[in-house]
């Protein structure tokens, strides 16, 4: 009967169908189907899915310097060549459809820095994507030990940041590239800090990269975003959690009125699962760093 989907069975007092373990499996399958559908739509209609970001390049630089100043470190100055290098790196990620420090074609972070005309002795790179606001980006970098160490590195004197929109893996994506550098003399070979590792640049490769990349092209973003997949998924997730909480509450009330006492490991498991799901949804973010 219809009411058995929402309240315990009148005779057996079995839980409502919508909070049964079978229903939980169904909800999981729905989320899997949703993600598969997003992938198909992104493949058929590139750029129609994604998020709208309000990340600002100038604010990111200001917030970076505020974090450095908290530890008494000197601020880094915006450098046009590093801005250009960051923009070239972001656009290359779109053109080659990848999300990594190193391109599938073999291009490295220093290819873009040296190709912009910036001759560094020490440099670094932080990446981020799909954050809604500038403070979320910096907070994520500061929460990561390797990114924090890079952002607060006292060797740097210059910074360049690019915030570029485009289509990555079929979805509208906002890429944030943060480049650091110094041209001050440092003993040894030129180095770059990427993903927590300090890499030495071979002298021959360093000398052969000057002005290889000369032009910053327009963003490859194809159109206005219409569907925010993250908000849809999060909204459905919260709706399911709220529904289950309401039904579990109704389950307790109905059984109390029937003078039926039923506390089992299943109830505890349900509540633990709901708490975990609600916490995960609340803390979730579409943003990622690298």
């Amino acid at each position: 009967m219809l009411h058995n989907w929402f309240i315990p069975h009148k005779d057996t007092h079995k839980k409502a169908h919508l909070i049964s373990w079978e229903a939980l499996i169904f909800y999981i399958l729905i989320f899997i189907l949703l993600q598969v559908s997003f992938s198909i739509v992104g493949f058929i209609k590139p750029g129609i899915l994604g998020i709208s970001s309000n990340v600002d390049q100038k604010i990111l630089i200001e917030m970076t310097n505020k974090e450095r100043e908290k530890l008494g470190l000197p601020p880094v100055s915006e450098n046009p060549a590093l801005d250009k290098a960051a923009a070239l790196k972001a656009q290359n990620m779109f053109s080659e459809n990848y999300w990594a420090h190193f391109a599938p074609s073999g291009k490295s972070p220093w290819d873009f820095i040296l190709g912009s005309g910036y001759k560094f002795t020490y440099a670094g790179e932080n990446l981020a994507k799909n954050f809604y606001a500038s403070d979320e980006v910096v907070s994520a970098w500061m929460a990561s030990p390797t990114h924090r160490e890079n952002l607060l590195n006292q060797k740097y004197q210059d910074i360049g940041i690019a915030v570029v929109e485009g289509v990555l893996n079929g979805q509208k994506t906002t890429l944030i590239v943060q480049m650091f550098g110094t041209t001050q003399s440092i003993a040894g070979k030129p180095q770059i800090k990427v993903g927590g590792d300090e890499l030495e640049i071979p002298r021959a490769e360093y000398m052969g990269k000057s002005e290889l990349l000369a032009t910053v092209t327009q963003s490859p973003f194809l159109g206005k975003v219409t569907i925010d997949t993250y908000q849809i998924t999060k909204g459905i997730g919260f709706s399911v959690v709220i529904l289950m909480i309401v039904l579990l509450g109704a389950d307790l009330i109905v059984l109390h009125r029937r003078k039926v006492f039923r506390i089992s490991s299943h109830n505890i498991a349900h509540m633990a699962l709901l708490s975990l799901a609600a916490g995960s949804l609340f803390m979730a973010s579409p943003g990622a760093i690298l």
Side-chain angles (χ1 to χ4, degrees), residues 1-286:
M1 297 178 68
L2 182 61
H3 63 268
N4 289 337
W5 286 89
F6 303 96
I7 63 174
H9 193 279
K10 184 176 180 181
D11 299 320
T12 64
H13 307 302
K14 184 179 179 181
K15 287 185 182 301
H17 297 326
L18 289 177
I19 53 174
S20 65
W21 287 110
E22 292 83 359
L24 290 179
I25 295 174
F26 175 75
Y27 299 144
I28 293 172
L29 291 175
I30 287 295
F31 277 102
I32 293 174
L33 179 61
L34 189 64
Q35 296 305 313
V36 172
S37 299
F38 286 153
S39 297
I40 294 173
V41 172
F43 178 77
I44 297 174
K45 295 283 188 179
I48 197 172
L49 306 177
I51 72 166
S52 294
S53 175
N54 291 316
V55 177
D56 182 86
Q57 185 251 16
K58 299 297 183 184
I59 294 176
L60 287 175
I61 294 175
E62 291 175 5
M63 295 186 71
T64 295
N65 278 326
K66 285 181 180 178
E67 295 296 340
R68 292 176 64 86
E69 289 165 10
K70 287 178 184 178
L71 295 182
L73 297 172
V76 285
S77 301
E78 183 177 5
N79 183 282
L82 286 180
D83 282 341
K84 180 179 176 180
L88 288 167
K89 174 60 181 285
Q91 289 160 5
N92 181 251
M93 284 193 280
F94 284 126
S95 64
E96 295 192 36
N97 197 41
Y98 72 98
W99 164 243
H101 289 291
F102 294 87
S105 63
K107 292 185 179 70
S108 64
W110 56 89
D111 285 332
F112 303 102
I113 299 176
L114 295 172
S116 71
Y118 186 89
K119 287 291 189 179
F120 66 91
T121 54
Y122 193 84
E125 177 182 86
N126 283 336
L127 303 178
K129 68 175 181 176
N130 283 345
F131 284 91
Y132 287 108
S134 303
D135 60 330
E136 294 177 354
V137 180
V138 178
S139 294
W141 279 333
M142 290 298 291
S144 164
T146 55
H147 293 82
R148 174 188 172 90
E149 183 181 354
N150 213 9
L151 191 144
L152 299 177
N153 196 314
Q154 62 181 348
K155 295 180 181 178
Y156 300 136
Q157 63 176 172
D158 299 316
I159 185 174
I161 290 183
V163 180
V164 183
E165 290 184 343
V167 177
L168 190 68
N169 294 322
Q171 295 199 17
K172 179 203 170 187
T173 303
T174 301
L175 293 179
I176 302 102
V177 180
Q178 183 182 54
M179 297 283 199
F180 294 104
T182 182
T183 56
Q184 293 177 345
S185 178
I186 296 178
K189 296 179 181 178
Q191 294 180 319
I192 187 167
K193 194 170 183 63
V194 177
D197 298 321
E198 287 189 353
L199 307 175
E200 286 192 349
I201 314 301
R203 179 62 61 177
E205 187 173 353
Y206 179 85
M207 296 303 296
K209 296 294 183 182
S210 178
E211 299 296 336
L212 292 180
L213 303 170
T215 304
V216 178
T217 59
Q218 294 296 315
S219 166
F221 178 46
L222 301 178
K224 183 179 179 180
V225 59
T226 57
I227 302 174
D228 188 326
T229 58
Y230 168 72
Q231 293 295 349
I232 290 175
T233 304
K234 191 170 184 176
I236 293 175
F238 271 122
S239 298
V240 171
V241 169
I242 291 171
L243 173 65
M244 295 191 69
I245 291 174
V246 171
L247 292 179
L248 282 172
D251 181 87
L252 292 174
I253 293 172
V254 170
L255 291 182
H256 177 73
R257 289 178 177 177
R258 294 176 183 174
K259 300 187 183 304
V260 175
F261 181 77
R262 184 188 68 198
I263 296 292
S264 67
S265 59
H266 293 290
N267 296 76
I268 298 173
H270 270 91
M271 294 308 298
L273 183 61
L274 286 174
S275 298
L276 180 62
S280 299
L281 287 169
F282 183 77
M283 297 298 294
S285 167

